[in-house]
Amino acid sequence: MSTSLTEPRSTFQRARSATVLLGPAFVAAIAYVDPGNVASNISAGAKFGYLLVWVIVMANVMAGLVQFLSAKLGLVTGMSLPEAVRDKAGRKTRLAYWAQAETVAMATDLAEVVGGAIALKLLFNLPLLLGGVITGIVSLGLLLVQNKRGQKPFERVITGMLAVIAIGFLASVVISPPSASGTIGGLVPRFDGSESVLLAAAMIGATVMPHAVYLHSALARDRHGSPEPGPARARLLRITRYDVGLAMLLAGTVNLAMLLMAAGTLRGREDVDSLESAHAAVRDTLGPAAGLLLAIGLLASGLASTSVGAYAGAMIMEGLLNRTIPLLVRRLITLIPALVILAIGVDPTQALIISQVVLSFGIPFALIPLVHFTADRNLMGDDVNPRLTTALAWLVALIISALNVALIYLTVTGK
């Protein structure tokens, strides 16, 4: 009798203990549902219907592998990815590497601040510049939570905002369910002209983002430390797989909902060429409630993702240059370029496109060192990647880098 009562309790305690260890991947997952994702996914659904469903699925599977390798690097070595690069590179290389990584962080913040500003304009009719300033101030407040209260409260806040984003974008799919046959048909890999290739590259570029790859290694290390080889590390790596899997499942579901909503309700409309017009189309087609929830989801996306992006920028600087700067300064470093773009009147949609192109330059610089380090037995010991994992990781790095080169080429040439 006592055994039967004790057994379920011990199982529950083990499950609860594992659940407490979840969290870092959900912070990193914010990068996968930022305003850049919203723009590219809605554009893909509106222009090509269900054609690119397979891209969402492929991108999130690849992202799951990349994020796990990043977390594993931090847990096993006790170093973030930028710190590992600093440890292996000379001074000039470190400075050049930091310059491109910081540029990528600024481009990330551009997309996220613009997204937040657009959401505030949709909700309260605020000017874009004022919306950008408010987005920056709120994100600074979220960073203060992390700076003063530690990582766990920050994780809870960001995970809560991830839930708001999910509700905001899943609501439209619930209100107007997509075609089941269209969705299944969209799982077959194919393109329809160069524009669909451009959108596919933009979708993947907006999904596998350099700053999330850099950041996750530090998030996992700072949350859990770097345990010695043995059962404790093996358990932590196993729980990290679940953490990444659940976070990527949620982010992938939200991204898929964006595309399915656009494919089901906006397909063929000529006036869906920006986030504002997409919001208007959803409001007109599905009603004010759907439009309101979409705007709220976009606002949560902008606020949460710009906070995480600024956090990543500080971690990149500290890791590569071994320098820590004050919270307000590090927030301003990536925020000011975004505010300048809004102040001079650059079209928000064009700004989002520019940010995605800049992000594309940074993808190989994050992925290639990550795969190289996690495949290095001298660095990883017995937790080195199995050969199959390494082969898959190199394939993922090649595919993502090639598609981002295609994005840059097609955007610059206008083809």
Side-chain angles (χ1 to χ4, degrees):
M1 183 72 171
S2 60
T3 302
S4 63
L5 290 173
T6 303
E7 188 69 31
R9 181 174 181 177
S10 63
T11 301
F12 171 77
Q13 288 174 333
R14 288 196 298 271
R16 185 175 182 275
S17 175
T19 302
V20 168
L21 297 176
L22 302 178
F26 285 82
V27 175
I30 284 292
Y32 295 84
V33 289
D34 76 346
N37 291 88
V38 179
S40 57
N41 292 334
I42 290 180
S43 294
K47 292 182 179 179
F48 295 101
Y50 300 97
L51 179 74
L52 299 178
V53 166
W54 66 274
V55 176
I56 296 284
V57 176
M58 182 182 76
N60 278 271
V61 170
M62 293 192 299
L65 175 60
V66 168
Q67 293 304 138
F68 174 70
L69 292 183
S70 177
K72 184 169 82 165
L73 177 70
L75 293 172
V76 172
T77 67
M79 294 187 291
S80 67
L81 179 55
E83 288 170 343
V85 172
R86 184 187 72 200
D87 189 56
K88 300 292 184 180
R91 183 175 181 276
K92 290 184 178 180
T93 302
R94 288 199 305 269
L95 288 173
Y97 195 94
W98 169 77
Q100 66 80 29
E102 203 65 49
T103 301
V104 166
M106 291 180 184
T108 300
D109 220 23
L110 171 61
E112 293 156 354
V113 171
V114 167
I118 291 174
L120 288 170
K121 181 180 180 182
L122 295 175
L123 288 168
F124 307 110
N125 199 31
L126 296 179
L128 286 175
L129 179 57
L130 177 58
V133 172
I134 292 173
T135 301
I137 291 172
V138 174
S139 66
L140 179 62
L142 293 175
L143 287 171
L144 284 170
V145 171
Q146 187 275 330
N147 198 54
K148 301 295 185 182
R149 303 283 299 278
Q151 188 169 323
K152 286 185 181 180
F154 182 69
E155 285 178 4
R156 295 190 188 104
V157 172
I158 295 298
T159 302
M161 298 187 80
L162 182 58
V164 173
I165 296 167
I167 293 170
F169 290 105
L170 289 171
S172 296
V173 177
V174 173
I175 294 170
S176 179
S179 163
S181 60
T183 304
I184 294 172
L187 293 172
V188 179
R190 63 194 190 279
F191 294 107
D192 182 15
S194 61
E195 188 177 8
S196 66
V197 177
L198 176 64
L199 275 172
M203 291 161 69
I204 292 177
T207 302
V208 183
M209 299 183 73
H211 77 285
V213 179
Y214 294 126
L215 180 61
H216 202 165
S217 55
L219 288 171
R221 186 269 317 273
D222 293 346
R223 175 73 132 79
H224 303 302
S226 179
E228 294 295 322
R233 180 190 285 180
R235 177 172 178 268
L236 196 52
L237 289 172
R238 185 169 61 251
I239 291 171
T240 298
R241 288 191 186 92
Y242 292 125
D243 190 27
V244 172
L246 291 171
M248 290 299 102
L249 178 62
L250 178 57
T253 300
V254 174
N255 279 315
L256 185 59
M258 297 174 194
L259 187 145
L260 294 180
M261 176 275 292
T265 62
L266 309 180
R267 177 79 165 104
R269 293 187 61 143
E270 298 296 330
D271 57 345
V272 185
D273 55 359
S274 67
L275 289 175
E276 297 99 317
S277 59
H279 169 264
V282 169
R283 182 192 59 210
D284 295 343
T285 305
L286 301 180
L292 176 63
L293 288 171
L294 189 147
I296 292 173
L298 179 61
L299 178 60
S301 170
L303 294 175
S305 56
T306 192
S307 303
V308 172
Y311 186 8
M315 182 274 302
I316 290 167
M317 176 178 284
E318 185 174 349
L320 287 169
L321 303 184
N322 199 23
R323 292 185 179 179
T324 302
I325 59 175
L327 176 65
L328 180 60
V329 175
R330 78 191 197 202
R331 171 71 286 217
L332 290 176
I333 285 174
T334 53
L335 178 63
I336 287 176
L339 295 181
V340 170
I341 291 291
L342 291 175
I344 63 178
V346 174
D347 178 69
T349 302
Q350 188 65 29
L352 287 172
I353 293 172
I354 292 170
S355 73
Q356 295 308 304
V357 173
V358 175
L359 283 172
S360 299
F361 282 104
I363 289 284
F365 292 98
L367 294 186
I368 292 173
L370 176 66
V371 179
H372 172 72
F373 290 144
T374 54
D376 184 350
R377 182 171 292 277
N378 292 329
L379 187 64
M380 302 293 291
D382 291 339
D383 292 302
V384 67
N385 291 341
R387 290 183 178 179
L388 178 59
T389 300
T390 297
L392 289 173
W394 279 122
L395 179 62
V396 166
L398 177 64
I399 292 172
I400 294 174
S401 298
L403 281 173
N404 278 280
V405 169
L407 172 62
I408 295 168
Y409 173 77
L410 291 171
T411 302
V412 171
T413 61
K415 294 183 179 181

